Amino acid sequence: MRAETNDVAFRLLLALGESWDALQRAAIDPSSKGLYLTKEYLGGYTRFSAGPSTSPRLIVEWNEATRHLRVLRCHEWPGFEATISSTVAHVREQARTHGIIASVDGVFVRACQEPVQPARRTVLPGAMDGAGASLRKRA
């Protein structure tokens, strides 16, 4: 798993996070495919905590206006891409059934496009486990 804005799976996770509440209001349960996600609004930043269970493997704070990503925790998550992919497929299928596929697809299409503006990334000390240490050095 790469907590970087140039990674499509990670951008899809952020898109799911932004849409999470609206999906639930539309009676679509995005967690049914094994993705557990919570979000908190923190004065300009949105904190996303996600994982394959209620214990988050990934905690990031994202500020869309300044394009700043703070990585608070990024622990190994086997099957991250598969979990995101199956969740997106499930959400799209349910959105089609509920007649909101156009708006849902719009969010996912934007997430799949390469970012036009660069993003700044800060990794807090201790955020990466042993498997993610090499990613920290690259950032």
Side-chain angles (χ1 to χ4, degrees):
M1 169 187 38
R2 295 183 331 180
E4 299 178 15
T5 57
N6 63 356
D7 182 70
V8 174
F10 180 75
R11 290 195 313 263
L12 284 169
L13 173 68
L14 291 179
L16 282 165
E18 288 295 331
S19 305
W20 202 263
D21 296 336
L23 292 169
Q24 290 179 329
R25 282 192 302 273
I28 297 172
D29 181 13
S31 67
S32 68
K33 293 298 178 179
L35 174 64
Y36 295 89
L37 187 137
T38 60
K39 67 180 182 179
E40 303 170 65
Y41 297 103
L42 307 168
Y45 284 84
T46 303
R47 178 179 291 174
F48 297 97
S49 301
S53 67
T54 55
S55 176
R57 301 285 177 103
L58 175 70
I59 303 173
V60 297
E61 294 175 351
W62 173 243
N63 184 314
E64 180 68 36
T66 63
R67 301 204 36 85
H68 183 216
L69 177 70
R70 290 191 290 223
V71 181
L72 307 176
R73 179 186 300 166
C74 186
H75 292 179
E76 189 167 333
W77 182 349
F80 170 72
E81 290 86 2
T83 300
I84 299 302
S85 178
S86 66
T87 301
V88 167
H90 169 72
V91 165
R92 290 187 72 241
E93 177 184 312
Q94 292 297 306
R96 191 172 292 109
T97 302
H98 288 82
I100 59 171
I101 189 65
S103 62
V104 168
D105 269 352
V107 170
F108 292 143
V109 166
R110 283 189 300 280
C112 289
Q113 295 170 343
E114 286 295 319
V116 176
Q117 299 173 337
R120 189 168 53 102
R121 180 174 176 255
T122 304
V123 179
L124 297 181
M128 306 295 238
D129 63 6
S134 63
L135 292 178
R136 185 172 5 146
K137 291 175 186 170
R138 274 192 20 227

